Amino acid sequence: MQPDVLLHLIEPAEWREALRAGVVRPPSPAAAGFVHLSTPEQVHLPAQALFPGRRDLALLVVDPARLPDPVRFEPGRPEDPAGMLFPHLYGPLPVSAVVAVVPYRPPAPVRLPAPGDAGARARAFFTSLPVRRAVGVGDVPGGVAVLDPDHVRSHDNNRLLFTEPVDAATVAAAADEVGGNAGWPHRAVLLAWAGASPVAAELRGRGWDVEELVLMSRASGPPPTGDAARVETVAQEQVHEFWARSWRENLAHLGADLERTVADLVGREHLNDRVVAVTDLVVREGDRVVASAQLRVDGATAAVDSVLTDPGHRGRGHGDALLARALELASDAGCDLVVLEAAGDDWPQHWYARRGFEQVGSMWGADRES
């Protein structure tokens, strides 16, 4: 009986190149004619044999039903357990067959979303990307700390991600220890396991600022409205000035620290494109960028992020146009699922719902000053 998912270990840089090429072509096809895969119960064996001691690998979660070439279960290496057979894909591995990409950091547990579980795939995307792009990663109870000393004021790049249940005292203590040692001007955490709301409530009672992050998804393909023709694909540098304007407006309360924070928020953005395929989209009025969005493609899952419109140019359909173009590009890339995060207490989640997105879960972000 074929497993629900198959797995493939890969260097992060090789996965980013595969996203450009559309397929994974490791050295083995030229030598043996197949791509090495594993079942979830077997993946530790190639990890130990090929990547001993490594904790920075990406684990591709593959839907066997999306593979165009045959998979044959055959013997592996002589030192493998007697009688064990490994799945070998006789052909390239399409990136559109990869329903999730998760960090492989043994002995930490690995959660493998089922191909049809939109909520699990969304949660996997939003907990995987911060780890894979991080400059440094450290273990904490129930999760990891991600660190980027070059952009220390970015909470997304310098926080703790908890994917296994822990209590509020553990969260606070770990954040103080890591943040203090790293010199963070803040303490920031993401509570990413299902059912984390009681811990979020306790952190709020301890004085943390807490926000629900609603996970939403829809199938790729065009939304009911939106003039995608007005949207341009641009080099990311062309969006920097627009982003800086937006963040200055939203973060004016920071006072003397405002410009350093804006510089960190703009400067961090190129890190995403090192691990997933990023496309920046804009709408202009005249020569001025007045709206932008970003599409991030990671195998068969795409994420829409940073859909922004200048306040003086709202009500003109720019957001619909950006979303329409992003969904077109996701479909063209072979993605069957498009995901996003929306603040649980703000209007955008309702705007997305009217355009076909459904809530598939929640996570909780919390932060406070150090």
Side-chain angles (χ1 to χ4, degrees), residues 210-282:
V210 177
E211 178 183 42
E212 182 183 13
L213 301 171
V214 174
L215 301 177
M216 306 187 77
S217 75
R218 61 159 285 168
S220 60
T225 59
D227 177 15
R230 74 172 81 171
V231 177
E232 299 177 49
T233 299
V234 299
Q236 191 172 100
E237 291 76 12
Q238 295 186 43
V239 200
H240 283 181
E241 193 274 334
F242 174 71
W243 285 341
R245 290 200 321 262
S246 177
W247 278 318
R248 287 190 185 103
E249 178 181 332
N250 293 329
L251 301 175
H253 62 279
L254 293 179
D257 205 34
L258 174 62
E259 290 306 317
R260 288 185 296 176
T261 300
V262 169
D264 275 353
L265 295 178
V266 173
R268 72 185 182 183
E269 285 298 315
H270 74 282
L271 297 172
N272 294 315
D273 194 52
R274 294 184 180 181
V275 293
V276 298
V278 172
T279 303
D280 286 287
L281 306 169
V282 303

Side-chain angles (χ1 to χ4, degrees), residues 9-21 23-25 51 54 56-58 60 101 132 273-276:
L9 282 166
I10 193 169
E11 298 267 7
E14 290 182 9
W15 173 240
R16 183 64 187 88
E17 182 54 39
L19 289 170
R20 294 187 183 93
V23 295
V24 175
R25 296 186 184 277
F51 306 103
R54 295 280 298 273
D56 60 340
L57 299 170
L60 307 186
V101 183
R132 291 154 56 201
D273 194 52
R274 294 184 180 181
V275 293
V276 298

